[in-house]
mmCIF file of all heavy atoms in Angstrom:
data_model
loop_
_atom_site.group_PDB
_atom_site.id
_atom_site.type_symbol
_atom_site.label_atom_id
_atom_site.label_comp_id
_atom_site.label_asym_id
_atom_site.label_seq_id
_atom_site.Cartn_x
_atom_site.Cartn_y
_atom_site.Cartn_z
ATOM 1 N N MET K 7 -9.622 -67.114 4.589
ATOM 2 C CA MET K 7 -9.366 -66.699 3.214
ATOM 3 C C MET K 7 -10.225 -65.474 2.865
ATOM 4 O O MET K 7 -9.757 -64.548 2.253
ATOM 5 C CB MET K 7 -9.694 -67.850 2.256
ATOM 6 C CG MET K 7 -9.233 -67.615 0.813
ATOM 7 S SD MET K 7 -7.432 -67.473 0.692
ATOM 8 C CE MET K 7 -7.286 -66.741 -0.923
ATOM 9 N N GLY K 8 -11.479 -65.489 3.317
ATOM 10 C CA GLY K 8 -12.372 -64.387 3.036
ATOM 11 C C GLY K 8 -11.885 -63.077 3.651
ATOM 12 O O GLY K 8 -12.002 -62.024 3.026
ATOM 13 N N ALA K 9 -11.312 -63.163 4.860
ATOM 14 C CA ALA K 9 -10.823 -61.959 5.528
ATOM 15 C C ALA K 9 -9.660 -61.349 4.738
ATOM 16 O O ALA K 9 -9.538 -60.125 4.642
ATOM 17 C CB ALA K 9 -10.386 -62.291 6.944
ATOM 18 N N GLY K 10 -8.817 -62.184 4.152
ATOM 19 C CA GLY K 10 -7.684 -61.704 3.368
ATOM 20 C C GLY K 10 -8.149 -60.931 2.135
ATOM 21 O O GLY K 10 -7.595 -59.893 1.799
ATOM 22 N N ILE K 11 -9.195 -61.445 1.485
ATOM 23 C CA ILE K 11 -9.726 -60.791 0.290
ATOM 24 C C ILE K 11 -10.354 -59.448 0.671
ATOM 25 O O ILE K 11 -10.159 -58.443 0.000
ATOM 26 C CB ILE K 11 -10.753 -61.705 -0.419
ATOM 27 C CG1 ILE K 11 -10.023 -62.905 -1.039
ATOM 28 C CG2 ILE K 11 -11.519 -60.927 -1.481
ATOM 29 C CD1 ILE K 11 -10.953 -63.987 -1.545
ATOM 30 N N GLU K 12 -11.096 -59.435 1.803
ATOM 31 C CA GLU K 12 -11.691 -58.182 2.278
ATOM 32 C C GLU K 12 -10.632 -57.148 2.581
ATOM 33 O O GLU K 12 -10.766 -55.979 2.236
ATOM 34 C CB GLU K 12 -12.540 -58.441 3.536
ATOM 35 C CG GLU K 12 -13.906 -59.026 3.228
ATOM 36 C CD GLU K 12 -14.734 -59.199 4.495
ATOM 37 O OE1 GLU K 12 -14.456 -58.482 5.488
ATOM 38 O OE2 GLU K 12 -15.631 -60.047 4.480
ATOM 39 N N LEU K 13 -9.546 -57.596 3.230
ATOM 40 C CA LEU K 13 -8.455 -56.689 3.581
ATOM 41 C C LEU K 13 -7.791 -56.150 2.312
ATOM 42 O O LEU K 13 -7.499 -54.965 2.236
ATOM 43 C CB LEU K 13 -7.433 -57.442 4.450
ATOM 44 C CG LEU K 13 -6.275 -56.564 4.984
ATOM 45 C CD1 LEU K 13 -6.800 -55.522 5.949
ATOM 46 C CD2 LEU K 13 -5.248 -57.451 5.688
ATOM 47 N N ALA K 14 -7.597 -57.025 1.329
ATOM 48 C CA ALA K 14 -6.981 -56.596 0.068
ATOM 49 C C ALA K 14 -7.862 -55.568 -0.631
ATOM 50 O O ALA K 14 -7.374 -54.550 -1.134
ATOM 51 C CB ALA K 14 -6.763 -57.807 -0.835
ATOM 52 N N CYS K 15 -9.177 -55.795 -0.633
ATOM 53 C CA CYS K 15 -10.105 -54.845 -1.268
ATOM 54 C C CYS K 15 -10.087 -53.514 -0.515
ATOM 55 O O CYS K 15 -10.109 -52.445 -1.130
ATOM 56 C CB CYS K 15 -11.523 -55.413 -1.267
ATOM 57 S SG CYS K 15 -11.741 -56.707 -2.482
ATOM 58 N N LEU K 16 -10.016 -53.585 0.806
ATOM 59 C CA LEU K 16 -9.978 -52.373 1.610
ATOM 60 C C LEU K 16 -8.702 -51.579 1.308
ATOM 61 O O LEU K 16 -8.755 -50.367 1.087
ATOM 62 C CB LEU K 16 -10.037 -52.736 3.101
ATOM 63 C CG LEU K 16 -10.068 -51.559 4.078
ATOM 64 C CD1 LEU K 16 -11.378 -50.778 3.918
ATOM 65 C CD2 LEU K 16 -9.915 -52.048 5.508
ATOM 66 N N LEU K 17 -7.572 -52.263 1.276
ATOM 67 C CA LEU K 17 -6.307 -51.596 0.976
ATOM 68 C C LEU K 17 -6.320 -50.998 -0.418
ATOM 69 O O LEU K 17 -5.839 -49.883 -0.631
ATOM 70 C CB LEU K 17 -5.140 -52.594 1.109
ATOM 71 C CG LEU K 17 -4.734 -52.951 2.546
ATOM 72 C CD1 LEU K 17 -3.692 -54.058 2.534
ATOM 73 C CD2 LEU K 17 -4.196 -51.721 3.285
ATOM 74 N N LEU K 18 -6.897 -51.736 -1.370
ATOM 75 C CA LEU K 18 -6.974 -51.270 -2.743
ATOM 76 C C LEU K 18 -7.832 -50.004 -2.829
ATOM 77 O O LEU K 18 -7.445 -49.024 -3.499
ATOM 78 C CB LEU K 18 -7.557 -52.381 -3.621
ATOM 79 C CG LEU K 18 -7.263 -52.270 -5.124
ATOM 80 C CD1 LEU K 18 -5.759 -52.358 -5.377
ATOM 81 C CD2 LEU K 18 -7.969 -53.410 -5.865
ATOM 82 N N SER K 19 -8.957 -50.015 -2.145
ATOM 83 C CA SER K 19 -9.846 -48.839 -2.172
ATOM 84 C C SER K 19 -9.171 -47.636 -1.511
ATOM 85 O O SER K 19 -9.306 -46.509 -1.974
ATOM 86 C CB SER K 19 -11.178 -49.141 -1.505
ATOM 87 O OG SER K 19 -11.009 -49.341 -0.129
ATOM 88 N N ILE K 20 -8.427 -47.883 -0.422
ATOM 89 C CA ILE K 20 -7.706 -46.793 0.246
ATOM 90 C C ILE K 20 -6.630 -46.244 -0.681
ATOM 91 O O ILE K 20 -6.463 -45.022 -0.794
ATOM 92 C CB ILE K 20 -7.079 -47.286 1.584
ATOM 93 C CG1 ILE K 20 -8.193 -47.554 2.603
ATOM 94 C CG2 ILE K 20 -6.078 -46.274 2.110
ATOM 95 C CD1 ILE K 20 -7.712 -48.288 3.830
ATOM 96 N N MET K 21 -5.919 -47.124 -1.377
ATOM 97 C CA MET K 21 -4.886 -46.689 -2.313
ATOM 98 C C MET K 21 -5.488 -45.858 -3.452
ATOM 99 O O MET K 21 -4.928 -44.836 -3.846
ATOM 100 C CB MET K 21 -4.123 -47.887 -2.875
ATOM 101 C CG MET K 21 -3.087 -48.453 -1.929
ATOM 102 S SD MET K 21 -2.393 -50.033 -2.491
ATOM 103 C CE MET K 21 -1.792 -49.593 -4.104
ATOM 104 N N PHE K 22 -6.646 -46.303 -3.968
ATOM 105 C CA PHE K 22 -7.310 -45.544 -5.036
ATOM 106 C C PHE K 22 -7.750 -44.172 -4.527
ATOM 107 O O PHE K 22 -7.607 -43.167 -5.229
ATOM 108 C CB PHE K 22 -8.516 -46.321 -5.577
ATOM 109 C CG PHE K 22 -8.180 -47.238 -6.699
ATOM 110 C CD1 PHE K 22 -8.294 -48.617 -6.575
ATOM 111 C CD2 PHE K 22 -7.735 -46.719 -7.910
ATOM 112 C CE1 PHE K 22 -7.977 -49.460 -7.628
ATOM 113 C CE2 PHE K 22 -7.415 -47.558 -8.967
ATOM 114 C CZ PHE K 22 -7.539 -48.926 -8.824
ATOM 115 N N GLU K 23 -8.244 -44.146 -3.283
ATOM 116 C CA GLU K 23 -8.681 -42.894 -2.681
ATOM 117 C C GLU K 23 -7.495 -41.923 -2.553
ATOM 118 O O GLU K 23 -7.584 -40.759 -2.928
ATOM 119 C CB GLU K 23 -9.266 -43.179 -1.293
ATOM 120 C CG GLU K 23 -10.009 -42.017 -0.701
ATOM 121 C CD GLU K 23 -11.416 -41.868 -1.233
ATOM 122 O OE1 GLU K 23 -11.945 -42.819 -1.812
ATOM 123 O OE2 GLU K 23 -11.964 -40.765 -1.069
ATOM 124 N N ILE K 24 -6.362 -42.438 -2.064
ATOM 125 C CA ILE K 24 -5.153 -41.604 -1.919
ATOM 126 C C ILE K 24 -4.669 -41.130 -3.284
ATOM 127 O O ILE K 24 -4.353 -39.947 -3.458
ATOM 128 C CB ILE K 24 -4.043 -42.384 -1.169
ATOM 129 C CG1 ILE K 24 -4.451 -42.609 0.292
ATOM 130 C CG2 ILE K 24 -2.715 -41.633 -1.255
ATOM 131 C CD1 ILE K 24 -3.580 -43.590 1.036
ATOM 132 N N ALA K 25 -4.640 -42.032 -4.256
ATOM 133 C CA ALA K 25 -4.181 -41.674 -5.592
ATOM 134 C C ALA K 25 -5.089 -40.602 -6.187
ATOM 135 O O ALA K 25 -4.619 -39.667 -6.829
ATOM 136 C CB ALA K 25 -4.174 -42.919 -6.485
ATOM 137 N N PHE K 26 -6.386 -40.704 -5.940
ATOM 138 C CA PHE K 26 -7.355 -39.729 -6.452
ATOM 139 C C PHE K 26 -7.065 -38.345 -5.866
ATOM 140 O O PHE K 26 -7.014 -37.350 -6.588
ATOM 141 C CB PHE K 26 -8.766 -40.187 -6.082
ATOM 142 C CG PHE K 26 -9.851 -39.214 -6.464
ATOM 143 C CD1 PHE K 26 -10.183 -39.031 -7.785
ATOM 144 C CD2 PHE K 26 -10.505 -38.484 -5.484
ATOM 145 C CE1 PHE K 26 -11.183 -38.127 -8.134
ATOM 146 C CE2 PHE K 26 -11.506 -37.584 -5.830
ATOM 147 C CZ PHE K 26 -11.835 -37.409 -7.161
ATOM 148 N N TRP K 27 -6.846 -38.291 -4.543
ATOM 149 C CA TRP K 27 -6.590 -36.993 -3.895
ATOM 150 C C TRP K 27 -5.243 -36.427 -4.333
ATOM 151 O O TRP K 27 -5.104 -35.220 -4.534
ATOM 152 C CB TRP K 27 -6.664 -37.132 -2.372
ATOM 153 C CG TRP K 27 -8.083 -37.232 -1.903
ATOM 154 C CD1 TRP K 27 -8.686 -38.346 -1.384
ATOM 155 C CD2 TRP K 27 -9.083 -36.221 -1.931
ATOM 156 N NE1 TRP K 27 -10.007 -38.055 -1.097
ATOM 157 C CE2 TRP K 27 -10.265 -36.767 -1.416
ATOM 158 C CE3 TRP K 27 -9.079 -34.888 -2.352
ATOM 159 C CZ2 TRP K 27 -11.449 -36.026 -1.303
ATOM 160 C CZ3 TRP K 27 -10.251 -34.142 -2.234
ATOM 161 C CH2 TRP K 27 -11.411 -34.715 -1.724
ATOM 162 N N VAL K 28 -4.243 -37.300 -4.493
ATOM 163 C CA VAL K 28 -2.923 -36.847 -4.954
ATOM 164 C C VAL K 28 -3.032 -36.267 -6.356
ATOM 165 O O VAL K 28 -2.475 -35.212 -6.659
ATOM 166 C CB VAL K 28 -1.905 -38.001 -4.900
ATOM 167 C CG1 VAL K 28 -0.624 -37.641 -5.655
ATOM 168 C CG2 VAL K 28 -1.577 -38.363 -3.448
ATOM 169 N N LEU K 29 -3.791 -36.967 -7.221
ATOM 170 C CA LEU K 29 -3.986 -36.504 -8.591
ATOM 171 C C LEU K 29 -4.655 -35.127 -8.605
ATOM 172 O O LEU K 29 -4.241 -34.230 -9.330
ATOM 173 C CB LEU K 29 -4.822 -37.517 -9.359
ATOM 174 C CG LEU K 29 -4.877 -37.336 -10.877
ATOM 175 C CD1 LEU K 29 -3.490 -37.532 -11.490
ATOM 176 C CD2 LEU K 29 -5.862 -38.327 -11.481
ATOM 177 N N ARG K 30 -5.689 -34.964 -7.770
ATOM 178 C CA ARG K 30 -6.370 -33.665 -7.694
ATOM 179 C C ARG K 30 -5.430 -32.590 -7.206
ATOM 180 O O ARG K 30 -5.460 -31.456 -7.715
ATOM 181 C CB ARG K 30 -7.585 -33.758 -6.765
ATOM 182 C CG ARG K 30 -8.744 -34.493 -7.408
ATOM 183 C CD ARG K 30 -10.001 -34.424 -6.592
ATOM 184 N NE ARG K 30 -10.403 -33.027 -6.383
ATOM 185 C CZ ARG K 30 -11.537 -32.681 -5.768
ATOM 186 N NH1 ARG K 30 -12.332 -33.599 -5.310
ATOM 187 N NH2 ARG K 30 -11.856 -31.415 -5.610
ATOM 188 N N ALA K 31 -4.591 -32.906 -6.217
ATOM 189 C CA ALA K 31 -3.629 -31.924 -5.696
ATOM 190 C C ALA K 31 -2.630 -31.523 -6.776
ATOM 191 O O ALA K 31 -2.319 -30.346 -6.933
ATOM 192 C CB ALA K 31 -2.909 -32.513 -4.482
ATOM 193 N N VAL K 32 -2.132 -32.508 -7.530
ATOM 194 C CA VAL K 32 -1.166 -32.233 -8.601
ATOM 195 C C VAL K 32 -1.810 -31.349 -9.670
ATOM 196 O O VAL K 32 -1.206 -30.367 -10.125
ATOM 197 C CB VAL K 32 -0.655 -33.558 -9.220
ATOM 198 C CG1 VAL K 32 0.108 -33.297 -10.514
ATOM 199 C CG2 VAL K 32 0.234 -34.287 -8.209
ATOM 200 N N ILE K 33 -3.034 -31.665 -10.068
ATOM 201 C CA ILE K 33 -3.734 -30.851 -11.073
ATOM 202 C C ILE K 33 -3.927 -29.430 -10.555
ATOM 203 O O ILE K 33 -3.696 -28.463 -11.284
ATOM 204 C CB ILE K 33 -5.088 -31.498 -11.436
ATOM 205 C CG1 ILE K 33 -4.853 -32.779 -12.237
ATOM 206 C CG2 ILE K 33 -5.959 -30.525 -12.233
ATOM 207 C CD1 ILE K 33 -6.092 -33.621 -12.433
ATOM 208 N N PHE K 34 -4.297 -29.292 -9.282
ATOM 209 C CA PHE K 34 -4.490 -27.965 -8.686
ATOM 210 C C PHE K 34 -3.183 -27.177 -8.709
ATOM 211 O O PHE K 34 -3.170 -25.996 -9.086
ATOM 212 C CB PHE K 34 -4.990 -28.134 -7.250
ATOM 213 C CG PHE K 34 -5.167 -26.824 -6.522
ATOM 214 C CD1 PHE K 34 -6.232 -26.004 -6.843
ATOM 215 C CD2 PHE K 34 -4.278 -26.438 -5.536
ATOM 216 C CE1 PHE K 34 -6.414 -24.796 -6.176
ATOM 217 C CE2 PHE K 34 -4.435 -25.239 -4.872
ATOM 218 C CZ PHE K 34 -5.520 -24.419 -5.196
ATOM 219 N N ILE K 35 -2.075 -27.818 -8.322
ATOM 220 C CA ILE K 35 -0.763 -27.156 -8.315
ATOM 221 C C ILE K 35 -0.352 -26.744 -9.727
ATOM 222 O O ILE K 35 0.127 -25.629 -9.948
ATOM 223 C CB ILE K 35 0.306 -28.072 -7.658
ATOM 224 C CG1 ILE K 35 0.024 -28.192 -6.150
ATOM 225 C CG2 ILE K 35 1.711 -27.528 -7.898
ATOM 226 C CD1 ILE K 35 0.757 -29.341 -5.487
ATOM 227 N N LEU K 36 -0.555 -27.640 -10.698
ATOM 228 C CA LEU K 36 -0.223 -27.331 -12.089
ATOM 229 C C LEU K 36 -1.055 -26.153 -12.596
ATOM 230 O O LEU K 36 -0.542 -25.282 -13.297
ATOM 231 C CB LEU K 36 -0.455 -28.557 -12.987
ATOM 232 C CG LEU K 36 0.588 -29.671 -12.859
ATOM 233 C CD1 LEU K 36 0.178 -30.876 -13.687
ATOM 234 C CD2 LEU K 36 1.962 -29.174 -13.290
ATOM 235 N N GLN K 37 -2.332 -26.099 -12.223
ATOM 236 C CA GLN K 37 -3.183 -24.983 -12.614
ATOM 237 C C GLN K 37 -2.659 -23.690 -12.017
ATOM 238 O O GLN K 37 -2.607 -22.658 -12.710
ATOM 239 C CB GLN K 37 -4.622 -25.204 -12.145
ATOM 240 C CG GLN K 37 -5.417 -26.095 -13.075
ATOM 241 C CD GLN K 37 -6.855 -26.215 -12.626
ATOM 242 O OE1 GLN K 37 -7.168 -26.077 -11.450
ATOM 243 N NE2 GLN K 37 -7.746 -26.473 -13.551
ATOM 244 N N CYS K 38 -2.265 -23.723 -10.748
ATOM 245 C CA CYS K 38 -1.722 -22.523 -10.095
ATOM 246 C C CYS K 38 -0.466 -22.049 -10.814
ATOM 247 O O CYS K 38 -0.300 -20.860 -11.065
ATOM 248 C CB CYS K 38 -1.399 -22.812 -8.622
ATOM 249 S SG CYS K 38 -2.871 -22.981 -7.606
ATOM 250 N N ILE K 39 0.432 -22.995 -11.129
ATOM 251 C CA ILE K 39 1.676 -22.646 -11.833
ATOM 252 C C ILE K 39 1.341 -22.067 -13.202
ATOM 253 O O ILE K 39 1.910 -21.046 -13.609
ATOM 254 C CB ILE K 39 2.589 -23.902 -11.969
ATOM 255 C CG1 ILE K 39 3.120 -24.293 -10.594
ATOM 256 C CG2 ILE K 39 3.734 -23.623 -12.942
ATOM 257 C CD1 ILE K 39 3.790 -25.652 -10.570
ATOM 258 N N PHE K 40 0.404 -22.689 -13.915
ATOM 259 C CA PHE K 40 0.026 -22.227 -15.241
ATOM 260 C C PHE K 40 -0.518 -20.803 -15.189
ATOM 261 O O PHE K 40 -0.119 -19.937 -15.974
ATOM 262 C CB PHE K 40 -1.012 -23.167 -15.846
ATOM 263 C CG PHE K 40 -1.546 -22.696 -17.172
ATOM 264 C CD1 PHE K 40 -0.769 -22.823 -18.312
ATOM 265 C CD2 PHE K 40 -2.798 -22.129 -17.272
ATOM 266 C CE1 PHE K 40 -1.241 -22.391 -19.537
ATOM 267 C CE2 PHE K 40 -3.282 -21.678 -18.501
ATOM 268 C CZ PHE K 40 -2.497 -21.814 -19.631
ATOM 269 N N TYR K 41 -1.428 -20.539 -14.221
ATOM 270 C CA TYR K 41 -2.010 -19.204 -14.116
ATOM 271 C C TYR K 41 -0.950 -18.179 -13.700
ATOM 272 O O TYR K 41 -0.965 -17.049 -14.185
ATOM 273 C CB TYR K 41 -3.173 -19.200 -13.123
ATOM 274 C CG TYR K 41 -4.420 -19.822 -13.681
ATOM 275 C CD1 TYR K 41 -5.041 -20.886 -13.034
ATOM 276 C CD2 TYR K 41 -4.967 -19.370 -14.880
ATOM 277 C CE1 TYR K 41 -6.196 -21.461 -13.561
ATOM 278 C CE2 TYR K 41 -6.104 -19.942 -15.418
ATOM 279 C CZ TYR K 41 -6.716 -20.982 -14.751
ATOM 280 O OH TYR K 41 -7.835 -21.563 -15.271
ATOM 281 N N ALA K 42 -0.019 -18.572 -12.811
ATOM 282 C CA ALA K 42 1.037 -17.653 -12.417
ATOM 283 C C ALA K 42 1.928 -17.310 -13.605
ATOM 284 O O ALA K 42 2.252 -16.140 -13.837
ATOM 285 C CB ALA K 42 1.881 -18.293 -11.295
ATOM 286 N N LEU K 43 2.293 -18.329 -14.387
ATOM 287 C CA LEU K 43 3.129 -18.094 -15.573
ATOM 288 C C LEU K 43 2.380 -17.226 -16.589
ATOM 289 O O LEU K 43 2.967 -16.313 -17.178
ATOM 290 C CB LEU K 43 3.520 -19.424 -16.221
ATOM 291 C CG LEU K 43 4.605 -20.213 -15.493
ATOM 292 C CD1 LEU K 43 4.819 -21.562 -16.189
ATOM 293 C CD2 LEU K 43 5.932 -19.451 -15.466
ATOM 294 N N ALA K 44 1.100 -17.502 -16.783
ATOM 295 C CA ALA K 44 0.307 -16.728 -17.737
ATOM 296 C C ALA K 44 0.248 -15.255 -17.319
ATOM 297 O O ALA K 44 0.406 -14.368 -18.140
ATOM 298 C CB ALA K 44 -1.103 -17.303 -17.844
ATOM 299 N N SER K 45 0.052 -15.007 -16.022
ATOM 300 C CA SER K 45 -0.026 -13.611 -15.564
ATOM 301 C C SER K 45 1.335 -12.921 -15.704
ATOM 302 O O SER K 45 1.393 -11.740 -16.035
ATOM 303 C CB SER K 45 -0.513 -13.549 -14.110
ATOM 304 O OG SER K 45 0.432 -14.132 -13.247
ATOM 305 N N VAL K 46 2.418 -13.659 -15.469
ATOM 306 C CA VAL K 46 3.767 -13.098 -15.643
ATOM 307 C C VAL K 46 3.993 -12.732 -17.101
ATOM 308 O O VAL K 46 4.500 -11.646 -17.407
ATOM 309 C CB VAL K 46 4.857 -14.070 -15.147
ATOM 310 C CG1 VAL K 46 6.230 -13.646 -15.621
ATOM 311 C CG2 VAL K 46 4.823 -14.166 -13.626
ATOM 312 N N VAL K 47 3.601 -13.626 -18.021
ATOM 313 C CA VAL K 47 3.769 -13.360 -19.455
ATOM 314 C C VAL K 47 2.962 -12.124 -19.857
ATOM 315 O O VAL K 47 3.444 -11.266 -20.586
ATOM 316 C CB VAL K 47 3.337 -14.599 -20.291
ATOM 317 C CG1 VAL K 47 3.220 -14.235 -21.758
ATOM 318 C CG2 VAL K 47 4.355 -15.723 -20.093
ATOM 319 N N VAL K 48 1.722 -12.038 -19.349
ATOM 320 C CA VAL K 48 0.879 -10.873 -19.662
ATOM 321 C C VAL K 48 1.539 -9.603 -19.123
ATOM 322 O O VAL K 48 1.563 -8.574 -19.790
ATOM 323 C CB VAL K 48 -0.539 -11.067 -19.058
ATOM 324 C CG1 VAL K 48 -1.309 -9.748 -19.117
ATOM 325 C CG2 VAL K 48 -1.270 -12.145 -19.817
ATOM 326 N N ASP K 49 2.094 -9.666 -17.902
ATOM 327 C CA ASP K 49 2.775 -8.504 -17.324
ATOM 328 C C ASP K 49 3.963 -8.094 -18.171
ATOM 329 O O ASP K 49 4.193 -6.910 -18.410
ATOM 330 C CB ASP K 49 3.245 -8.805 -15.887
ATOM 331 C CG ASP K 49 2.087 -8.820 -14.906
ATOM 332 O OD1 ASP K 49 0.984 -8.363 -15.278
ATOM 333 O OD2 ASP K 49 2.291 -9.294 -13.772
ATOM 334 N N ILE K 50 4.752 -9.074 -18.615
ATOM 335 C CA ILE K 50 5.941 -8.784 -19.426
ATOM 336 C C ILE K 50 5.515 -8.152 -20.756
ATOM 337 O O ILE K 50 6.093 -7.161 -21.194
ATOM 338 C CB ILE K 50 6.774 -10.070 -19.671
ATOM 339 C CG1 ILE K 50 7.430 -10.510 -18.356
ATOM 340 C CG2 ILE K 50 7.821 -9.845 -20.756
ATOM 341 C CD1 ILE K 50 8.040 -11.901 -18.416
ATOM 342 N N ARG K 51 4.476 -8.714 -21.368
ATOM 343 C CA ARG K 51 3.988 -8.156 -22.639
ATOM 344 C C ARG K 51 3.478 -6.729 -22.442
ATOM 345 O O ARG K 51 3.730 -5.846 -23.255
ATOM 346 C CB ARG K 51 2.873 -9.037 -23.212
ATOM 347 C CG ARG K 51 3.392 -10.303 -23.830
ATOM 348 C CD ARG K 51 2.256 -11.074 -24.490
ATOM 349 N NE ARG K 51 2.758 -12.309 -25.077
ATOM 350 C CZ ARG K 51 1.986 -13.279 -25.516
ATOM 351 N NH1 ARG K 51 0.666 -13.172 -25.431
ATOM 352 N NH2 ARG K 51 2.493 -14.371 -26.036
ATOM 353 N N ALA K 52 2.764 -6.504 -21.357
ATOM 354 C CA ALA K 52 2.237 -5.168 -21.067
ATOM 355 C C ALA K 52 3.383 -4.196 -20.806
ATOM 356 O O ALA K 52 3.341 -3.050 -21.232
ATOM 357 C CB ALA K 52 1.293 -5.223 -19.868
ATOM 358 N N ALA K 53 4.423 -4.654 -20.108
ATOM 359 C CA ALA K 53 5.559 -3.809 -19.783
ATOM 360 C C ALA K 53 6.369 -3.468 -21.025
ATOM 361 O O ALA K 53 7.043 -2.438 -21.071
ATOM 362 C CB ALA K 53 6.444 -4.502 -18.754
ATOM 363 N N ASN K 54 6.308 -4.323 -22.050
ATOM 364 C CA ASN K 54 7.091 -4.105 -23.266
ATOM 365 C C ASN K 54 6.378 -3.238 -24.304
ATOM 366 O O ASN K 54 6.925 -2.953 -25.346
ATOM 367 C CB ASN K 54 7.477 -5.444 -23.904
ATOM 368 C CG ASN K 54 8.583 -6.139 -23.110
ATOM 369 O OD1 ASN K 54 9.338 -5.477 -22.394
ATOM 370 N ND2 ASN K 54 8.667 -7.445 -23.227
ATOM 371 N N LYS K 55 5.142 -2.829 -24.002
ATOM 372 C CA LYS K 55 4.423 -1.981 -24.940
ATOM 373 C C LYS K 55 5.100 -0.597 -24.938
ATOM 374 O O LYS K 55 5.234 0.019 -23.878
ATOM 375 C CB LYS K 55 2.957 -1.838 -24.540
ATOM 376 C CG LYS K 55 2.141 -3.080 -24.852
ATOM 377 C CD LYS K 55 0.678 -2.865 -24.457
ATOM 378 C CE LYS K 55 -0.131 -4.124 -24.695
ATOM 379 N NZ LYS K 55 -1.491 -4.002 -24.172
ATOM 380 N N PRO K 56 5.490 -0.086 -26.110
ATOM 381 C CA PRO K 56 6.233 1.173 -26.141
ATOM 382 C C PRO K 56 5.432 2.378 -25.658
ATOM 383 O O PRO K 56 5.980 3.267 -25.044
ATOM 384 C CB PRO K 56 6.608 1.318 -27.625
ATOM 385 C CG PRO K 56 5.684 0.413 -28.357
ATOM 386 C CD PRO K 56 5.318 -0.695 -27.414
ATOM 387 N N TRP K 57 4.095 2.369 -25.918
ATOM 388 C CA TRP K 57 3.312 3.559 -25.537
ATOM 389 C C TRP K 57 2.994 3.607 -24.041
ATOM 390 O O TRP K 57 2.586 4.627 -23.534
ATOM 391 C CB TRP K 57 2.043 3.666 -26.366
ATOM 392 C CG TRP K 57 1.143 2.463 -26.262
ATOM 393 C CD1 TRP K 57 0.213 2.215 -25.330
ATOM 394 C CD2 TRP K 57 1.111 1.349 -27.170
ATOM 395 N NE1 TRP K 57 -0.406 1.011 -25.569
ATOM 396 C CE2 TRP K 57 0.119 0.470 -26.695
ATOM 397 C CE3 TRP K 57 1.844 1.023 -28.331
ATOM 398 C CZ2 TRP K 57 -0.165 -0.729 -27.346
ATOM 399 C CZ3 TRP K 57 1.544 -0.167 -28.983
ATOM 400 C CH2 TRP K 57 0.540 -1.034 -28.491
ATOM 401 N N GLU K 58 3.180 2.448 -23.334
ATOM 402 C CA GLU K 58 2.952 2.456 -21.901
ATOM 403 C C GLU K 58 4.240 2.670 -21.119
ATOM 404 O O GLU K 58 4.217 3.041 -19.976
ATOM 405 C CB GLU K 58 2.290 1.160 -21.449
ATOM 406 C CG GLU K 58 0.814 1.071 -21.849
ATOM 407 C CD GLU K 58 0.138 -0.186 -21.388
ATOM 408 O OE1 GLU K 58 0.795 -0.993 -20.708
ATOM 409 O OE2 GLU K 58 -1.034 -0.365 -21.706
ATOM 410 N N GLY K 59 5.358 2.398 -21.745
ATOM 411 C CA GLY K 59 6.645 2.617 -21.109
ATOM 412 C C GLY K 59 6.946 1.674 -19.967
ATOM 413 O O GLY K 59 7.928 1.848 -19.243
ATOM 414 N N GLY K 60 6.126 0.663 -19.763
ATOM 415 C CA GLY K 60 6.413 -0.321 -18.714
ATOM 416 C C GLY K 60 6.037 0.143 -17.321
ATOM 417 O O GLY K 60 6.364 -0.508 -16.353
ATOM 418 N N HIS K 61 5.358 1.290 -17.163
ATOM 419 C CA HIS K 61 4.998 1.788 -15.837
ATOM 420 C C HIS K 61 3.492 1.666 -15.661
ATOM 421 O O HIS K 61 2.713 1.983 -16.550
ATOM 422 C CB HIS K 61 5.414 3.253 -15.683
ATOM 423 C CG HIS K 61 6.889 3.434 -15.816
ATOM 424 N ND1 HIS K 61 7.780 2.920 -14.916
ATOM 425 C CD2 HIS K 61 7.615 4.063 -16.765
ATOM 426 C CE1 HIS K 61 9.008 3.251 -15.316
ATOM 427 N NE2 HIS K 61 8.935 3.933 -16.439
ATOM 428 N N TRP K 62 3.117 1.217 -14.478
ATOM 429 C CA TRP K 62 1.684 1.054 -14.204
ATOM 430 C C TRP K 62 1.149 2.352 -13.580
ATOM 431 O O TRP K 62 1.726 2.909 -12.704
ATOM 432 C CB TRP K 62 1.453 -0.099 -13.232
ATOM 433 C CG TRP K 62 1.746 -1.391 -13.898
ATOM 434 C CD1 TRP K 62 2.855 -2.164 -13.727
ATOM 435 C CD2 TRP K 62 0.926 -2.098 -14.849
ATOM 436 N NE1 TRP K 62 2.791 -3.264 -14.518
ATOM 437 C CE2 TRP K 62 1.628 -3.256 -15.212
ATOM 438 C CE3 TRP K 62 -0.319 -1.816 -15.415
ATOM 439 C CZ2 TRP K 62 1.107 -4.163 -16.124
ATOM 440 C CZ3 TRP K 62 -0.823 -2.719 -16.327
ATOM 441 C CH2 TRP K 62 -0.113 -3.884 -16.678
#
């Protein structure tokens, strides 16, 4: 019985570890998407300025 409980705790800790890394990966990906979108919006706004004419 004790071995079963140890195994369950081990599996639970492994699952928490995997969930933690997956969560970090998702947050990292979302941050990358957010920064990419933000830079695109800034580029579009800069390109739409009449005195710059949209040329770098």
